Amino acid sequence: MNVIKIAVLDMNNSHANEGMRCILHAIRNIQGSEPVELALDIFDVRSKDEVPDLEYDIYISSGGPGSPLASSDDWEARYFELIDQIIDWNKHNERKKYVFLICHSFQLVVRHLDLGLLSRRKSTSFGIFPVHKTEEGLEESLLEGLPDPFFAVDSRDFQITEPNMERLEEMGASLLCLEKIRPHVLLERAVMAIRFSPEIIGTQFHPEADNEGMLRYFLQDEKRNHIVLNFGQEKYDAMVSYLQDPDKIALTESIILPGFLRQAIEELTATDLFLEQN
């Protein structure tokens, strides 16, 4: 049995977070339910300038704090070089490499590939919000089993808007989701998910977030007081209520990232079998 190698790119810049725990939990669950052997390595991209090479089969690049705008940080050039190498690899090799980009990573790659406008929001988007599927999103296999709209955790000071439809079409990419409909707000809705290629997908929300961990996080006195002070008691109460609803965060967490991992593993396994037989 071939070992499937997974690289988790930690983009949190040494900040404590729930996202990495959730990503690793999703991988462990797949390891326990699929008849494959998985090998996992974690790379601290921003704090330690650790960027994996092309020896991995699956790459999951996390969300993170701070600005995704252009910088001169050493890791950034190496990170984009990896993305370019994976895209090129998939054009020329039968055995593909699979990538999932979350929030900060999604914003970085959209900027790098010139697929939309990256800018700072007028105010922080923080909470649990409805995410609406586009026509392409209604056909996206990773979103099957989710209603339209579905609910997801959103936490960002930046946003991708004004998708570059010419570049998307040129790449064969698809716009999958947009943020909540706000008729009273005269601002363009943010892009919430893109299928970059058959092997690469990303979301501007946090599909890995689980209700148990998020609820534990929100019930801490410091976090509760911070949310109430900055966003109001009504927003806090709504988030806690949503976290206790199995049809909201729990459903999203159970479908998108696990579905990506299962699809990648199935396709890699099928390719390996075909190559062995030929």
Side-chain angles (χ1 to χ4, degrees):
M1 178 186 297
N2 292 333
V3 176
I4 291 177
K5 301 182 70 174
I6 301 177
V8 176
L9 284 67
D10 182 350
M11 304 291 282
N12 288 283
N13 204 20
S14 294
H15 287 75
N17 70 98
E18 289 283 331
M20 283 295 293
R21 178 190 62 78
C22 294
I23 291 169
L24 299 179
H25 177 70
I27 294 170
R28 284 193 294 269
N29 280 348
I30 293 295
Q31 174 74 85
S33 63
E34 297 290 321
V36 295
E37 184 178 349
L38 305 179
L40 169 67
D41 289 315
I42 299 172
F43 296 84
D44 188 340
V45 177
R46 295 169 68 188
S47 293
K48 298 181 180 178
D49 193 24
E50 297 175 347
V51 178
D53 56 22
L54 285 176
E55 70 173 285
Y56 293 88
D57 304 302
I58 299 172
Y59 300 77
I60 300 176
S61 192
S62 80
S67 170
L69 298 174
S71 75
S72 58
D73 294 338
D74 290 341
W75 65 263
E76 186 173 296
R78 295 184 61 215
Y79 180 80
F80 290 147
E81 182 181 10
L82 172 66
I83 297 298
D84 291 340
Q85 287 175 338
I86 292 173
I87 292 172
D88 185 65
W89 173 282
N90 286 341
K91 289 177 181 177
H92 299 101
N93 291 274
E94 199 158 355
R95 194 177 193 275
K96 308 300 185 183
K97 298 185 182 295
Y98 298 83
V99 182
F100 199 107
L101 304 162
I102 298 172
C103 197
H104 190 93
S105 297
F106 172 82
Q107 293 168 342
L108 285 169
V109 172
V110 169
R111 167 168 68 82
H112 175 61
L113 298 176
D114 190 27
L115 294 177
L117 175 66
L118 172 62
S119 62
R120 180 179 285 275
R121 287 177 54 88
K122 291 185 178 296
S123 61
T124 299
S125 176
F126 180 76
I128 298 165
F129 299 113
V131 178
H132 296 261
K133 300 178 188 180
T134 62
E135 288 187 21
E136 293 94 338
L138 292 170
E139 302 298 320
E140 169 59 47
S141 61
L142 281 188
L143 302 180
E144 287 180 9
L146 290 172
D148 183 29
F150 60 93
F151 284 81
V153 171
D154 198 19
S155 177
R156 55 193 168 86
D157 293 312
F158 293 82
Q159 63 181 353
I160 298 293
T161 56
E162 300 181 25
N164 185 337
M165 302 309 294
E166 184 176 340
R167 279 285 293 148
L168 285 163
E169 185 174 348
E170 179 185 326
M171 279 190 64
S174 301
L175 184 63
L176 301 180
C177 299
L178 296 171
E179 72 178 333
K180 63 181 179 179
I181 298 171
R182 302 171 299 169
H184 59 290
V185 178
L186 298 178
L187 295 172
E188 186 160 345
R189 293 160 69 198
V191 173
M192 298 305 285
I194 290 175
R195 165 69 71 181
F196 297 86
S197 74
E199 303 82 23
I200 304 174
I201 191 169
T203 65
Q204 196 162 213
F205 58 87
H206 286 269
E208 80 281 16
D210 64 359
N211 54 355
E212 178 185 347
M214 293 295 292
L215 187 59
R216 183 172 60 247
Y217 178 81
F218 285 149
L219 290 177
Q220 297 174 21
D221 287 344
E222 179 185 353
K223 303 303 179 186
R224 180 176 62 246
N225 293 339
H226 174 79
I227 295 167
V228 171
L229 178 64
N230 288 278
F231 301 98
Q233 185 69 46
E234 186 176 351
K235 168 66 75 67
Y236 176 81
D237 291 341
M239 287 194 293
V240 170
S241 174
Y242 283 176
L243 287 170
Q244 295 169 321
D245 185 340
D247 293 326
K248 290 191 168 63
I249 298 311
L251 183 63
T252 302
E253 181 249 342
S254 72
I255 287 179
I256 296 180
L257 191 55
F260 163 79
L261 287 165
R262 289 192 185 96
Q263 283 186 12
I265 290 167
E266 287 173 7
E267 289 167 15
L268 286 163
T269 303
T271 302
D272 287 342
L273 182 60
F274 174 80
L275 293 175
E276 286 171 7
Q277 293 175 344
N278 294 272

